[in-house]
Amino acid sequence: AQSVTQLDSHVSVSEGTPVLLRCNYSSSYSPSLFWYVQHPNKGLQLLLKYTSAATLVKGINGFEAEFKKSETSFHLTKPSAHMSDAAEYFCVVSDLLRGGSQGNLIFGKGTKLSVKP
Amino acid sequence: EPEVTQTPSHQVTQMGQEVILRCVPISNHLYFYWYRQILGQKVEFLVSFYNNEISEKSEIFDDQFSVERPDGSNFTLKIRSTKLEDSAMYFCASTGRRGQPQHFGDGTRLSIL
């Protein structure tokens, strides 16, 4: 079965400092991985996706993630945090390659990012 | 940019009552999904829908739940007799192809009293 583990439930950084949100996945196949962000009282917005084309994936708002098969990791990074980055971030794997699946998403528990001025 | 829209944003219902949550997926999308997020817990898959029928459902999606695409635009989730534990945020999502990123609505917060 596929799953994702987000190693930190809460990360706090100062504005202008780097962001690292950690995610490890478990998959029997080559996975499709995503990061979504959820701002308060809003829906889930796609930040970036990995679908085996390139291991370093660039997303919106300056975020990027690197797929490391040897470490089964897909950590999300940003060089310099902005106040508007404060939100909850979800690492997600698609169940697509399981027989009969319609690509249901399996979510991690989320990491709440706080950005201090 | 096209969006998935969900109504209402907040629904308060007495236990045992029926509730219908509504979604308008992106117009050219073919795959539709419902997820829920109980407060403080992870987002969980409920059901997927393709070609006018349920393609997969989770253990959560029991006989109290149903989905329907009554016309060419709406996609609804019905809970027949609500329980306290149905209180959650319900998200609708759609995509044009399996495996492609799903686009989510802003969610409906369902509160059961």
Side-chain angles (χ1 to χ4, degrees):
Chain A
Q2 301 195 85
S3 65
V4 288
T5 302
Q6 292 184 247
L7 298 158
D8 306 296
S9 58
H10 192 187
V11 169
S12 182
V13 300
S14 297
E15 190 174 21
T17 64
V19 175
L20 170 63
L21 305 183
R22 298 182 293 166
C23 173
N24 286 96
Y25 69 91
S26 172
S27 175
S28 303
Y29 333 98
S30 181
S32 291
L33 292 160
F34 310 87
W35 276 96
Y36 281 84
V37 61
Q38 184 181 29
H39 290 275
N41 301 313
K42 299 295 286 182
L44 295 151
Q45 181 185 18
L46 178 72
L47 273 181
L48 50 81
K49 63 178 180 179
Y50 167 76
T51 52
S52 78
T55 56
L56 183 62
V57 182
K58 293 188 185 300
I60 62 171
N61 300 336
F63 284 94
E64 60 183 40
E66 186 171 8
F67 175 75
K68 291 186 177 180
K69 187 175 181 179
S70 60
E71 299 176 9
T72 61
S73 69
F74 189 56
H75 302 332
L76 182 71
T77 59
K78 182 173 180 176
S80 176
H82 192 271
M83 296 296 290
S84 61
D85 295 328
E88 187 142 23
Y89 292 79
F90 294 93
C91 184
V92 181
V93 63
S94 171
D95 203 24
L96 178 66
L97 294 181
R98 176 176 56 82
S101 169
Q102 293 297 323
N104 316 328
L105 299 181
I106 299 164
F107 283 74
K109 288 188 175 181
T111 298
K112 186 173 181 181
L113 176 65
S114 300
V115 182
K116 298 175 288 189
Chain B
E1 185 177 325
E3 291 183 343
V4 175
T5 57
Q6 290 186 245
T7 55
S9 56
H10 192 186
Q11 174 79 44
V12 182
T13 301
Q14 292 286 332
M15 187 172 60
Q17 295 295 306
E18 174 184 286
V19 66
I20 297 176
L21 309 183
R22 302 181 191 280
C23 170
V24 179
I26 294 174
S27 62
N28 61 347
H29 282 182
L30 301 175
Y31 297 86
F32 313 114
Y33 307 83
W34 283 100
Y35 295 83
R36 80 169 185 192
Q37 184 182 29
I38 295 172
L39 188 64
Q41 299 185 25
K42 63 167 69 175
V43 178
E44 302 171 290
F45 165 73
L46 290 179
V47 65
S48 58
F49 192 88
Y50 171 72
N51 200 24
N52 282 322
E53 61 183 19
I54 290 173
S55 37
E56 190 170 6
K57 57 186 180 180
S58 72
E59 293 175 352
I60 304 167
F61 195 89
D62 62 21
D63 292 344
Q64 295 299 313
F65 290 87
S66 62
V67 289
E68 199 175 38
R69 189 156 162 81
D71 52 44
S73 59
N74 290 284
F75 179 51
T76 61
L77 174 70
K78 182 194 292 186
I79 308 175
R80 195 178 354 265
S81 177
T82 49
K83 302 187 285 282
L84 292 175
E85 54 264 38
D86 294 327
S87 295
M89 192 75 149
Y90 288 80
F91 292 104
C92 173
S94 69
T95 186
R97 284 174 54 191
R98 290 188 315 135
Q100 290 301 308
Q102 295 176 19
H103 296 255
F104 284 80
D106 283 349
T108 294
R109 181 169 299 283
L110 177 62
S111 300
I112 307 300
L113 305 178

